[in-house]
Amino acid sequence: MNFKMKNCRLCGNTFQQTNREQNYCSVVCKIKDNIIIDDNDCWNFTGYRTKFGYGQITYHRRCELVHRFMCESVYGPAPMDKPFTLHSCDNPPCCNPDHLRWGSPKENTNDMMERNRHRCGNSKGEQIGTSKLTEVQVIEIINKLKNYKYGDCTKLAKEYKIGVDVISAIYHNKTWKHLPR
């Protein structure tokens, strides 16, 4: 099929269409035509958004996150040690390259914790909805593990009807860290 030459809806450049629905000369033009700039200079994508609020487009029959696409178009591909796209504005629909940078998993986690965007907020212990233990029970477990002997984790797991991995995580201070040891 031969498609005609067309002018880009945003920038006016002439381009060869590759399908009938194509109205833009590039993905960047398609994105820029679907943003609203707010008072913080955020380029808020107005097209489809994921359940987490990130803009998403289809490009070469693949779903692409708009902020990642914009970051890559300006700064090049993500470095191997920095595969995450971080927002300085903490605004998921924003795709302004000035607000984006590549970051490591650790930087991404630190950003998330500093800005209180992690899923469980500041919840600890039994405030977390999936917790099967109360603080009283965990304190009992901690006290019982002070004179730890081989096999204690298995016995305690059966006693409290939880997994051995949960007891081990308490013992190694990986969970319930806020409780005194």
Side-chain angles (χ1 to χ4, degrees):
M1 264 187 193
N2 281 338
F3 292 104
K4 63 181 180 175
M5 297 298 284
K6 191 169 182 177
N7 290 334
C8 177
R9 179 192 247 171
L10 181 70
C11 70
N13 287 343
T14 304
F15 67 96
Q16 176 75 44
Q17 278 184 302
T18 55
N19 65 55
R20 285 190 189 110
E21 290 85 37
Q22 187 176 0
N23 293 310
Y24 303 95
C25 64
S26 70
V27 179
V28 172
C29 279
K30 181 178 180 179
I31 291 168
K32 285 184 175 181
D33 200 32
N34 287 286
I35 61 170
I36 294 174
I37 301 173
D38 67 17
D39 295 339
N40 298 321
D41 204 29
C42 286
W43 297 2
N44 294 308
F45 186 70
T46 59
Y48 177 79
R49 293 187 191 173
T50 68
K51 66 180 179 180
F52 300 108
Y54 297 102
Q56 185 175 301
I57 57 166
T58 303
Y59 177 64
H60 292 301
R61 297 184 182 177
R62 287 184 42 203
C63 290
E64 300 278 348
L65 293 172
V66 173
H67 65 288
R68 286 192 62 82
F69 191 92
M70 291 300 283
C71 194
E72 190 167 320
S73 72
V74 173
Y75 304 114
M80 292 296 284
D81 61 333
K82 295 188 174 199
F84 289 90
T85 310
L86 307 183
H87 287 83
S88 63
C89 58
D90 200 32
N91 180 14
C94 179
C95 59
N96 182 345
D98 292 341
H99 295 187
L100 304 172
R101 66 181 170 87
W102 296 120
S104 68
K106 184 173 178 114
E107 288 173 306
N108 190 42
T109 301
N110 289 343
D111 270 6
M112 180 180 63
M113 298 304 279
E114 286 170 12
R115 297 171 184 187
N116 206 20
R117 286 184 54 106
H118 44 101
R119 289 192 181 146
C120 58
N122 290 324
S123 300
K124 294 178 184 159
E126 59 191 287
Q127 295 171 340
I128 298 172
T130 57
S131 175
K132 293 182 179 179
L133 298 170
T134 65
E135 287 193 4
V136 171
Q137 290 173 313
V138 175
I139 291 169
E140 287 173 5
I141 292 168
I142 291 168
N143 289 332
K144 289 177 181 179
L145 289 171
K146 284 189 176 167
N147 299 316
Y148 174 79
K149 289 186 244 63
Y150 183 78
D152 284 353
C153 285
T154 305
K155 289 177 193 169
L156 288 170
K158 286 180 183 174
E159 181 183 338
Y160 289 93
K161 296 180 175 77
I162 55 175
V164 176
D165 57 324
V166 176
I167 300 291
S168 178
I170 293 168
Y171 178 73
H172 293 289
N173 202 26
K174 291 184 178 175
T175 58
W176 297 85
K177 296 176 186 181
H178 64 287
L179 295 179
R181 297 288 194 258

